[in-house]
Every structure is written in C-alpha cells, then in structure tokens.
C-alpha cells in the first residue's frame, strides 16, 4: 500500500514534548512557543509571528484585524479551503469569487480589479501547492484601492516569491501546521503580521481581547478586557512538537523537491510543469490534470487496485450551498470548475520510497488510454 501522505517525524519531537511536560507550563506562550515564533520570524522575515491553534484561527484573527463587518466584501478564488471564506463570512462579509489561472490554480490577478466595489475591504490570496500568486500586481492593486491583502499561505513553509517568503508580503499571512503539511504539529497555525499598525492589536485579539501581554512586559500594572478577541493560542505541547519539525524545514523541503522533480521528469510526456524563475516552491503537492472528471475517476480506481492512494482537492466554494448563500462569482467561471474536476494529487511525503511504482502505474494507465483512443 502506498498512502497518499505520511506525516513527517524528525525524531526529536518526543524529547521536546517531554521537556515541555517537565517545565510544567502546558498552556500557550511558553518557552517552545517563543522559540517557534522567533524561528519563523527569522526564517520568513515577517515583522512578527504569533502561533495559533490552527490556520483557520489565524484567518479568523486576520478578519478581526481588518475590521471586517456586515456588508463588507472580500475577493478571493473559489478554489480554496473553506476556512479561507468562513473566516470572513463569520464577520458578516460577502465573498466575491474570481477565476483562477489553469496552470497554477491560483487567483487570476488580472480579474481582481474588475471585482472591486465600494464595499470591498480585502483581497485574500491562497498560494496553491506552495506556488506563489503574482504578488507584485496584487499589492499594487490593493494599495491603489486602499485594501488589505491577506495571504493564505497554509501550504507555503519554505516557498518564495522574488526571494520573499510567502506570507510575509501581504499585510497579514497565515500558515498551517496540520498533519497534512510539510512541517506540522498535528493541528496548529501561525499568523504573520507584516504591518506594524496591526501588531499590537493582534496580540490583544489572540489573548481573548485582553492586554495581558502588556502586563507581562510590565507596561501596565494590571490587565483587562480592551477589545474583542478569542483564545487563539497554541498549546505548549504542540509548540514543542512543532519546534522539532521547524529545525528541519530546509532538509524536508530538499527531500520533497527530489520526489517532485522525479515526478516531473518521469511524467514529462503528459504532465510536466514549469514555473517562473522568481517562484520557488516547497514541493507541497504534485498534481496532474486528467482529460476530464470521468477519466479522473477511472484513474483513481485503477491506482487504488494497485494499492496507490491519491486525492483530488477542493470542490469550488461558489458551487456549494453556503458559497451560493454567502457570495457571488464575478465574471465567467472559465477554469475554476473545469480544472478542479481534472486535478489529481499524487502521493508525496518525506519517506516516499515507491515513487517508481506510482510513475509506472500512471504510464500504464495512460498508455492504455492512448491505445484505446487510436483504435
């Protein structure tokens, strides 16, 4: 059996978790939380980093920081995880979906400006598979219209755009450390704050709306409720696990990239990918595009019989019940639905040993398809 994913384990997680237990501070913002935040701030060059209990919570925190309110609009791609939209719908926003580029499945930056109205408050970009959206143009549009940019960089640890780490370019960025990600702690996330105007309030919202951080630093003689907020802190146990992973980030990316490149070279006949030189991705996902949804279903079953597990990705949000209620698609859906129905993700993880069998099986399937088409 070749699973779709096996979470990476460095070997040091148990040591650090035991240290956290012996330190008797199992709640958030202990030693390991601070070490992780320091590491991520240095690694990404973000102005400040706050660990959160999930990327979903980092997105919700972002919506609060952007003062999203009833009637505001947020522009994003429909090909994204539900948390990207939910974070803003929870604040009363309407989601305005625009189409994607068919090659990267990222938001088409050329369609954003036409979707802007007087109610638009923010643009959310999701960098699919760790491959960057066209951030220069997006930031220019946002600056011209006075909009916030939030980067959903859930899949993007060690991915770059013009040598800038993804998540560090927009006003806010979010990471996921879910067990499906390259670097993980089971469940976890982080908020990257790149606008100093938002940094102090981010601390307050994350601490249930209190100025507890100021109290700890000795800036006030007692802390109190000063803003809205919630409990977004990551457990110190998760942070200890995460710290062991973060220290191996570069090595994890290197190893995953070798498998990504093997796929790309071996499947060159029908699935080779190339990206602009200014985009450096982290090999989070390798996907192929089938001819259509029917072919994808046949391929999934064929590979399953070979004991190879694959997965497709998001059902476009604008086609879902809640997506219809909470938003609208601006312009034509030329690629979002059609391309999402063709996309299939292949097994890719740190200890993948049977990649040759995956490649061999794919070639076997498509040789049979080509043969039947000729006949």
């Amino acid at each position: 059996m070749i699973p779709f994913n096996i979470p990476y384990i460095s070997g040091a997680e148990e040591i650090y978790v035991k240290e956290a237990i012996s330190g008797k501070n199992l709640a958030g913002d202990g030693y390991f939380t601070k070490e992780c935040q320091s590491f991520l701030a240095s690694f990404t060059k973000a102005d400040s980093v706050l660990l959160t209990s999930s990327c979903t919570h980092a997105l919700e925190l972002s919506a609060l920081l952007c003062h999203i309110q009833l009637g505001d609009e947020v522009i994003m791609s429909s090909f994204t995880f539900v948390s990207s939209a939910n974070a803003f719908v929870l604040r009363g926003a309407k989601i305005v979906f625009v189409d994607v580029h068919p090659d990267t499945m990222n938001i088409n930056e050329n369609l954003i400006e036409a979707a802007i109205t007087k109610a638009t408050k923010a643009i959310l970009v999701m960098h699919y598979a760790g491959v960057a959206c066209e951030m220069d143009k997006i930031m220019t549009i946002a600056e011209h219209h006075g909009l916030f940019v939030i980067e959903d960089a859930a899949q993007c640890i060690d991915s770059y755009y013009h040598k800038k780490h993804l998540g560090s370019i927009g006003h806010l960025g979010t990471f996921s450390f879910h067990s499906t990600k390259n670097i993980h702690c089971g469940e976890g996330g982080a908020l990257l704050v790149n606008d100093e105007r938002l940094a102090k309030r981010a601390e307050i919202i994350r601490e249930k709306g209190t100025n507890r951080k100021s109290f700890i630093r000795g800036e006030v003689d007692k802390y109190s409720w000063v803003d809205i907020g919630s409990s977004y802190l990551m457990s110190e146990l998760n942070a200890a696990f995460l710290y062991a992973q973060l220290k191996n980030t570069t090595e994890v990316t290197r190893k995953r990239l070798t498998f990504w490149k093997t796929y790309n070279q071996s499947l060159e006949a029908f699935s080779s990918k190339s990206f602009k030189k200014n985009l450096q991705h982290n090999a989070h996902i390798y996907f192929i595009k089938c001819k259509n949804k029917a072919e994808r279903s046949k391929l999934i079953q064929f590979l399953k019989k070979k004991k190879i597990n694959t997965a497709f990705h998001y059902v476009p949000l604008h086609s879902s019940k809640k997506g219809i209620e909470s938003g609208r698609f601006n312009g034509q859906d030329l690629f979002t639905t059609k391309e999402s129905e063709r996309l299939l993700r292949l097994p890719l993880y740190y200890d993948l040993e049977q990649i040759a069998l995956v490649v061999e099986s794919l070639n076997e399937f498509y040789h049979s398809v080509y043969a039947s088409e000729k006949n």
Side-chain angles (χ1 to χ4, degrees), residues 33-190:
T33 296
K34 291 171 184 173
E35 288 297 304
C36 287
Q37 289 177 169
S38 177
F39 177 95
L40 287 166
S42 175
F43 193 80
T44 65
K45 304 298 187 294
D47 289 352
S48 64
V49 176
L50 296 170
L51 288 193
T52 58
S53 45
S54 66
C55 186
T56 296
H57 276 167
L59 287 162
E60 290 178 14
L61 219 167
S62 298
L64 289 167
L65 285 168
C66 295
H67 294 281
I68 300 298
Q69 298 176 13
L70 183 66
D72 288 340
E73 293 182 352
V74 178
I75 297 170
M76 67 179 69
S77 157
S78 177
F79 185 73
T80 186
F81 189 55
V82 64
S83 293
S84 301
N86 255 337
F88 301 94
V89 172
L90 280 167
R91 305 307 308 159
K94 281 286 185 181
I95 308 301
V96 180
F97 300 110
V98 298
D99 211 0
V100 298
H101 288 291
D103 54 347
T104 62
M105 301 302 291
N106 284 338
I107 190 169
N108 186 333
E109 69 285 352
N110 299 312
L111 303 176
I112 292 174
E113 202 148 25
I116 295 173
T117 70
K118 290 180 180 179
T120 307
K121 195 73 170 285
I123 303 166
L124 181 133
V125 298
M126 190 274 285
H127 307 291
Y128 185 64
V131 176
C133 298
E134 288 294 342
M135 292 305 297
D136 283 347
K137 182 163 186 177
I138 291 167
M139 294 306 294
T140 298
I141 292 169
E143 184 177 357
H144 179 69
H145 292 276
L147 306 176
F148 287 107
V149 174
I150 302 100
E151 293 179 77
D152 183 343
Q155 305 171 358
C156 298
I157 186 74
D158 212 10
S159 287
Y160 304 85
Y161 174 83
H162 287 296
K163 299 185 178 179
K164 295 178 182 177
H165 200 293
L166 299 187
S168 72
I169 304 168
H171 299 91
L172 297 162
T174 64
F175 280 170
S176 172
F177 298 117
H178 186 271
S179 63
T180 56
K181 302 303 187 289
N182 296 16
I183 299 297
H184 72 96
C185 59
E187 288 276 4

Side-chain angles (χ1 to χ4, degrees), residues 15-21 25 29-38 51 234-244 246:
I15 296 169
Y16 289 156
V17 169
K18 284 181 177 178
E19 284 185 28
I21 293 170
N25 177 19
D29 279 350
Y31 169 79
F32 285 105
T33 296
K34 291 171 184 173
E35 288 297 304
C36 287
Q37 289 177 169
S38 177
L51 288 193
M234 178 188 288
S235 158
E236 189 68 359
L237 294 176
N238 287 54
F241 190 103
L242 178 60
Y243 188 52
L246 287 173

Side-chain angles (χ1 to χ4, degrees), residues 130-132 158-163 166 253 257 276-282:
V131 176
D158 212 10
S159 287
Y160 304 85
Y161 174 83
H162 287 296
K163 299 185 178 179
L166 299 187
T253 303
L257 278 169
K276 295 178 181 178
K277 290 182 179 179
N278 60 12
L279 309 184
Q280 181 181 337
H281 68 88
N282 61 356

